Amino acid sequence: MKRFIGDIGEHALIKRLTSSFVQKSKQIRCGVGDDGAIIASHKGDPFVMTTDMLLEKRHFRPCWTTWREIGKKSIEVNLSDLAAMGAWPRYALLSLGLPLKTSLRDVEDFYRGASDALRPYRATVIGGDTNASPGGWVISVTMIGDFPKSRKKAPLRNRAKAFDRLYVSGHLGESALGLYCLEKNIKGSFCRPFIKRHLCPKARVLLGRALTPHIHAMIDLSDGLVADLGHILQESRKGAWVWREALPFSLRFIKGTRRLRQNKWTLGLSGGEDYELLFTASRNKDKDIKRIAKAHRISLTPIGEVRPEGGLKILNGQGRAIRLQCGGFSHF
Amino acid sequence: MKRFIGDIGEHALIKRLTSSFVQKSKQIRCGVGDDGAIIASHKGDPFVMTTDMLLEKRHFRPCWTTWREIGKKSIEVNLSDLAAMGAWPRYALLSLGLPLKTSLRDVEDFYRGASDALRPYRATVIGGDTNASPGGWVISVTMIGDFPKSRKKAPLRNRAKAFDRLYVSGHLGESALGLYCLEKNIKGSFCRPFIKRHLCPKARVLLGRALTPHIHAMIDLSDGLVADLGHILQESRKGAWVWREALPFSLRFIKGTRRLRQNKWTLGLSGGEDYELLFTASRNKDKDIKRIAKAHRISLTPIGEVRPEGGLKILNGQGRAIRLQCGGFSHF
C-alpha cells in the first residue's frame, strides 16, 4: 500500500526521516526535535539555529494582510523559536521564491517588515537566496541566536520534571479567533484585535531570556497548547494535568467567543499561533516568576502541573478529566 | 509605472533590498553578496553560512530524475558554495514544502540522497521544517561550514587583484548540454554523461579547501562562467581577459556539441550549473596550483587574467575581443 505523508503527520515524518542521519557529535548539544538546534562552536560560545518556511495560501493570504506584515511575521515566528530556547537573535538568512509578476514594491514592503522585526534586537540579514517561483510566494527564514557560554542549560523540551508547575505567558486563543474571523470573512471593529494578533504576532524574546535561568522546559505556542505541551511531555516522558479554568483568557476574547458562538476552551486549548511561551518550573521558583512577570508587564499564569506519568489530562472546575474535541494544528 | 522583479534581475534586487539592513558588525566578516556569509563567533572559530532554495519545475523536474538524486543535488549546490569559500561542511538545516499527496517513499528517497551527499564530510542535519505545500515541492537548504581561525583570508569575491591569473577547475559546458538533452527529450547513450553532470553535480569541497591558502578570489560556477566571473569583477572592481581557446572542454563534450549542433563556446561561457571552481591567483602561485591539480587529479586550467579595468573581454585565437551572444543564467 502506498503511504502518503498526510497519513503520518509532521512529527512522525521528521522522526522517521532524520533517524538516518548521524547526529552524534560533541558539538551538537541539541539537534532535530526542539525549537532550535544548539551548536557548541569550538572554544567559542554556543549558538542556536532555527528555521521556518511560510508558503502562500498555506500560511498566509496576501488578500488578508500587507506584505509588510507578512515580512514581519515571517521573522517573528523564528524569533519565537529563539525565545523558547532563551537565545538572543543575531543573524537571519532570508530566502524567497517569488512569482515573476511580483511587483518590486511588494518585495520591498516585505523586506521593510522583516527589517522592522529584526531592528529591536539589532539582528541583521546576512544572506539568502531569491528565485522565480512557478507557484505562489515561498518564504524560508533561518535565524541564528546565541547565549552566554556560562549558561549551561537551555530550556529544552526534554527537561520538564515531575511536579513542576506549568505556566503560560499572556492570553490564549485570540490568534485562532482572528483566523476564524478572516476565514469566515467576519467584519466589525470587535474582530480587529484578534485579527491583529493573528497577522502581527510578537515573539517573547526578552521574556524568554529572563525566564531561562529559572525554569526547566520551554516551548513557544505555535501549534496550540495541547499539541505543544504534548511535545514537552513526549520528549520529557512525563504526563501533565492542565486546569482548564486557569487558562488565561482576555475579557475581549471571552466576549468575542460569545458573540461568534465559538467555544473558548477549544480555541484556547487547540488554537494555533499564539506565540506565547509555555514553560515548566519548580514550585519554589514561583517568586522569581512573579518578579519577572511584573518586570515584563505580562501575566505568567500557572495552568497545571507536570505529572510523573499518565499522559495529558485536562481537568474541569470540578477536577474531572474532560475529553478533548480536537488536537492542535498539524502541518499536514 | 509598476515595476516587476523580472525587470531588474536577481542581483540588482538583492542589492536594493538588503541595503536597508544594518550590516555593520565586527562579527560579520562577510555578509550578503558572496557565496556564503562569514560570522566570527565570539572567541571561537569563524563559521560560514550558505542557503539555497530549489523549486519544483523551476530547478528540477521529478520526471527527469529520481528523488534520491534531487536530495543529493540540493545538498551539493550548497556544498559548492561552501567549497568556494574554502570552508568545511558541518551542519545542514533542511526545510521542505511537500504536496499532501507526496508518497512517503519519495520523501525517504530524498532524505537518502541528502544523506549520501553529507556522509563524505560527516556533516549532519540538525534541524529544519516540513510543511504541506499547495503547489509543488519546495526545498530550502541552509548549510554551516567552518575553517580554522588561523586562516585569516577567505577567498572572497572582492579579493581579485589586477594581473592575477584566472583559473577554472575541471571541464565546462557539460551540464548545460545535459539540460539541453533533457529539455529537447534527446535520448541516446552519448547524452548520458552530460545528463548525469546536470542531475548529479559534485561539489569541489576538498579542492576548494586545498586552494584557499594560495589564491585571492573564488566563486563556484552555478550561473555560468561569464555571469559568475562578472560577480568577481564587479565586487573587486576589476576587468578581465578570457582566452576563449583556453577554455577546458572534454573531448566527449566537443563531439556532443557537434552532433547536437550546439555552439560549444556559448555553452562553455554561459551555460549554468557546472559547479566547478573559478578562482584568481598571483602568477607566482602557478607551481602550487599545478601541485594541487595533480594531488586532486583534476585539471586546473588558466583561462585568462584579471585586468586593472575595462570590463570583461573574451578574446578569440587571434587575440581579438568577441561579442557575447548571451549572458549567464538569471534566477528571474
Side-chain angles (χ1 to χ4, degrees):
Chain A
M1 199 191 80
K2 206 169 170 183
R3 289 185 73 191
F4 299 108
I5 53 158
D7 304 337
I8 68 165
E10 187 194 12
H11 286 271
L13 178 66
I14 292 173
K15 268 228 159 112
R16 188 164 171 154
L17 297 174
T18 52
S19 60
S20 62
F21 291 102
V22 188
Q23 269 209 47
K24 275 169 194 163
S25 155
K26 264 191 196 168
Q27 299 200 275
I28 305 175
R29 298 230 186 120
C30 164
V32 175
D34 216 294
D35 295 295
I38 304 181
I39 305 297
S41 77
H42 186 54
K43 286 183 214 155
D45 296 340
F47 58 93
V48 186
M49 304 199 52
T50 164
T51 187
D52 257 312
M53 185 181 274
L54 283 87
L55 302 169
E56 186 175 335
K57 284 183 202 151
R58 176 78 187 164
H59 298 99
F60 61 89
R61 284 169 197 274
C63 57
W64 286 350
T65 175
T66 67
W67 286 107
R68 189 163 184 171
E69 284 170 347
I70 295 169
K72 193 163 184 300
K73 183 166 175 176
S74 53
I75 297 291
E76 292 286 349
V77 299
N78 278 278
L79 291 175
S80 186
D81 282 326
L82 289 180
M85 302 292 280
W88 187 255
R90 297 297 300 272
Y91 311 108
L93 294 161
L94 202 45
S95 291
L96 297 177
L98 303 169
L100 265 187
K101 283 287 164 203
T102 305
S103 89
L104 195 55
R105 196 177 158 176
D106 290 349
V107 190
E108 286 181 322
D109 280 346
F110 175 89
Y111 264 76
R112 208 163 286 133
S115 200
D116 292 344
L118 292 169
R119 197 173 303 114
Y121 312 103
R122 298 186 59 79
T124 182
V125 172
I126 54 168
D129 190 22
T130 52
N131 293 286
S133 161
W137 276 58
V138 176
I139 303 162
S140 178
V141 178
T142 300
M143 285 212 66
I144 301 100
D146 58 10
F147 30 55
K149 205 177 179 181
S150 56
R151 183 160 304 157
K152 285 263 159 58
K153 293 214 169 178
L156 303 186
R157 294 180 185 181
N158 64 7
R159 288 188 173 151
K161 309 226 172 330
F163 311 110
D164 269 4
R165 201 159 267 178
L166 272 173
Y167 291 85
V168 72
S169 69
H171 296 116
L172 299 177
E174 291 195 351
S175 174
L177 192 61
L179 179 61
Y180 176 83
C181 295
L182 287 167
E183 281 177 341
K184 301 285 173 194
N185 201 17
I186 298 163
K187 282 171 185 159
S189 62
F190 79 101
C191 296
R192 259 181 235 151
F194 311 131
I195 291 175
K196 198 172 172 220
R197 265 301 288 265
H198 184 75
L199 298 177
C200 310
K202 188 89 193 87
R204 303 283 189 197
V205 175
L206 295 168
L207 179 66
R209 263 179 61 112
L211 285 170
T212 295
H214 306 285
I215 64 175
H216 290 146
M218 182 153 63
I219 194 168
D220 71 313
L221 292 180
S222 54
D223 300 346
L225 179 67
V226 168
D228 289 318
L229 177 54
H231 299 323
I232 289 187
L233 300 182
Q234 199 183 358
E235 295 292 321
S236 302
R237 296 172 189 220
K238 295 283 177 293
W241 292 342
V242 169
W243 314 311
R244 193 179 70 170
E245 307 292 324
L247 295 183
F249 295 131
S250 65
L251 195 62
R252 68 180 181 200
F253 171 76
I254 294 171
K255 281 184 185 163
T257 52
R258 266 192 218 131
R259 193 155 165 183
L260 295 167
R261 298 188 187 176
Q262 291 297 296
N263 184 327
K264 66 178 173 185
W265 307 120
T266 308
L267 291 176
L269 289 165
S270 309
E273 303 214 63
D274 280 318
Y275 297 108
E276 294 294 350
L277 295 174
L278 172 72
F279 57 96
T280 84
S282 301
R283 282 151 185 261
N284 61 20
K285 291 287 183 182
D286 201 47
K287 251 190 184 170
D288 294 302
I289 287 161
K290 273 187 184 144
R291 184 179 45 77
I292 292 167
K294 209 173 163 188
H296 287 79
R297 292 183 192 178
I298 188 172
S299 63
L300 298 175
T301 315
I303 59 160
E305 73 173 44
V306 179
R307 303 294 302 173
E309 54 195 0
L312 170 59
K313 275 186 188 147
I314 314 289
L315 308 178
N316 67 8
Q318 286 79 47
R320 276 201 213 115
I322 54 162
R323 267 220 199 153
L324 281 178
Q325 286 178 326
C326 65
F329 176 79
S330 169
H331 293 265
F332 294 119
Chain B
M1 198 192 80
K2 207 170 170 185
R3 290 185 72 192
F4 299 108
I5 53 158
D7 304 336
I8 69 165
E10 187 194 13
H11 286 270
L13 178 67
I14 292 174
K15 269 232 158 108
R16 189 166 171 151
L17 296 173
T18 52
S19 60
S20 61
F21 290 102
V22 189
Q23 270 209 51
K24 277 170 191 158
S25 156
K26 264 191 196 169
Q27 299 200 274
I28 304 176
R29 297 229 187 123
C30 165
V32 174
D34 216 294
D35 296 295
I38 305 182
I39 305 297
S41 77
H42 186 54
K43 286 180 211 155
D45 296 339
F47 59 93
V48 186
M49 304 198 54
T50 165
T51 187
D52 257 311
M53 185 181 273
L54 283 87
L55 302 169
E56 187 176 334
K57 285 184 203 151
R58 177 80 188 162
H59 298 99
F60 61 89
R61 284 169 197 274
C63 56
W64 286 350
T65 175
T66 66
W67 286 107
R68 189 163 183 170
E69 284 170 347
I70 295 169
K72 194 163 184 299
K73 182 165 176 177
S74 53
I75 297 291
E76 292 287 349
V77 299
N78 278 277
L79 291 176
S80 187
D81 282 326
L82 289 180
M85 302 293 279
W88 186 254
R90 297 296 302 271
Y91 311 108
L93 294 161
L94 202 45
S95 290
L96 296 177
L98 302 168
L100 266 186
K101 283 289 163 200
T102 305
S103 88
L104 195 54
R105 197 177 155 175
D106 290 347
V107 190
E108 286 181 322
D109 280 345
F110 175 89
Y111 264 76
R112 208 163 286 134
S115 201
D116 293 344
L118 292 170
R119 197 172 303 112
Y121 313 103
R122 297 187 60 78
T124 181
V125 173
I126 54 168
D129 190 21
T130 52
N131 293 286
S133 162
W137 275 59
V138 176
I139 303 162
S140 177
V141 178
T142 300
M143 285 213 65
I144 301 101
D146 58 10
F147 31 55
K149 205 179 178 179
S150 56
R151 182 159 304 159
K152 285 264 159 58
K153 293 214 168 179
L156 303 186
R157 294 180 186 181
N158 65 6
R159 288 188 174 151
K161 308 227 173 325
F163 311 110
D164 270 4
R165 201 158 266 178
L166 273 174
Y167 292 85
V168 72
S169 68
H171 296 116
L172 299 177
E174 291 195 352
S175 173
L177 192 60
L179 180 59
Y180 177 82
C181 295
L182 287 167
E183 281 177 340
K184 301 285 174 195
N185 201 16
I186 298 164
K187 281 170 187 160
S189 63
F190 80 102
C191 296
R192 259 181 236 150
F194 312 130
I195 291 175
K196 198 173 172 219
R197 265 300 288 265
H198 184 75
L199 298 177
C200 309
K202 188 89 193 85
R204 304 283 188 197
V205 176
L206 296 169
L207 180 66
R209 260 176 64 109
L211 285 170
T212 295
H214 305 285
I215 65 175
H216 290 147
M218 183 153 62
I219 194 169
D220 71 312
L221 293 181
S222 54
D223 299 346
L225 178 67
V226 168
D228 289 319
L229 177 54
H231 298 322
I232 288 187
L233 300 181
Q234 199 183 359
E235 295 292 321
S236 301
R237 296 171 189 220
K238 295 284 178 293
W241 292 342
V242 169
W243 314 312
R244 193 180 70 171
E245 307 292 324
L247 294 183
F249 295 131
S250 66
L251 195 62
R252 70 181 179 198
F253 172 75
I254 294 172
K255 281 184 186 163
T257 52
R258 266 191 218 133
R259 193 155 166 183
L260 295 167
R261 298 190 188 176
Q262 290 297 295
N263 184 326
K264 66 179 173 185
W265 307 119
T266 309
L267 291 176
L269 288 165
S270 309
E273 302 214 63
D274 280 318
Y275 297 108
E276 294 294 350
L277 294 175
L278 172 72
F279 58 96
T280 84
S282 302
R283 281 152 185 261
N284 60 19
K285 291 287 184 184
D286 201 49
K287 251 190 184 168
D288 294 303
I289 286 160
K290 274 188 183 142
R291 184 177 46 76
I292 292 168
K294 208 173 164 190
H296 287 79
R297 292 184 193 176
I298 188 172
S299 63
L300 298 175
T301 314
I303 58 161
E305 71 172 46
V306 180
R307 304 294 304 172
E309 53 196 0
L312 170 59
K313 276 186 189 145
I314 313 290
L315 307 179
N316 68 8
Q318 287 77 47
R320 275 199 214 118
I322 53 163
R323 268 221 199 150
L324 282 178
Q325 287 179 327
C326 65
F329 177 79
S330 170
H331 291 266
F332 292 120

